Amino acid sequence: MTSRDTFTRLFIPVSLAEGVSFLILLGVAMPLQIVGHHQMPVQIFGMLHGLLFIAYVMITAYGHTQRKWTGKRLAWILVMSVLPTGAFFAERSVRNEAAAGASVEPAVA
């Protein structure tokens, strides 16, 4: 298996899990803390999301070195990690890049 395949195999599930954990943290755990004064969901999903975020950044750094991304491409992938649904867009972009077999700049809407 090539390093390009390894990156894609690692990045896709981690980015999806990071995105889901972020949405659960913001949409379920935080409201439970604010409205119901339940601390445990934020502690659990906050820790889970933090670990997934660190994995996302580390795998992104690996992808940057393996795929020879431009600084702009790296910045775009990293910015997507801090937006509530951004990880899903980053996952789709990396999946499309892997399918095309070349580094592609993200489309600007």
Side-chain angles (χ1 to χ4, degrees):
M1 179 169 284
T2 66
S3 59
R4 187 175 296 237
D5 294 332
T6 301
F7 166 71
T8 302
R9 186 175 50 81
L10 292 171
F11 184 81
I12 289 173
V14 169
S15 65
L16 291 173
E18 194 269 343
V20 168
S21 73
F22 197 15
L23 292 177
I24 291 172
L25 182 62
L26 293 176
V28 177
M30 300 268 311
L32 282 173
Q33 180 183 24
I34 293 167
V35 175
H37 305 290
H38 299 287
Q39 302 296 321
M40 191 60 67
V42 171
Q43 292 173 349
I44 292 169
F45 284 102
M47 172 83 68
L48 177 63
H49 174 68
L51 292 172
L52 288 166
F53 177 78
I54 291 168
Y56 180 101
V57 171
M58 291 176 66
I59 293 167
T60 298
Y62 174 70
H64 174 61
T65 61
Q66 294 302 309
R67 293 195 174 182
K68 310 288 191 257
W69 285 337
T70 64
K72 181 179 175 182
R73 173 78 169 147
L74 175 63
W76 185 83
I77 296 286
L78 290 174
V79 166
M80 291 296 105
S81 72
V82 297
L83 301 175
T85 58
F88 303 115
F89 292 103
E91 178 270 333
R92 178 59 58 99
S93 177
V94 166
R95 186 184 300 265
N96 290 341
E97 176 183 281
S103 182
V104 180
E105 288 297 318
V108 178

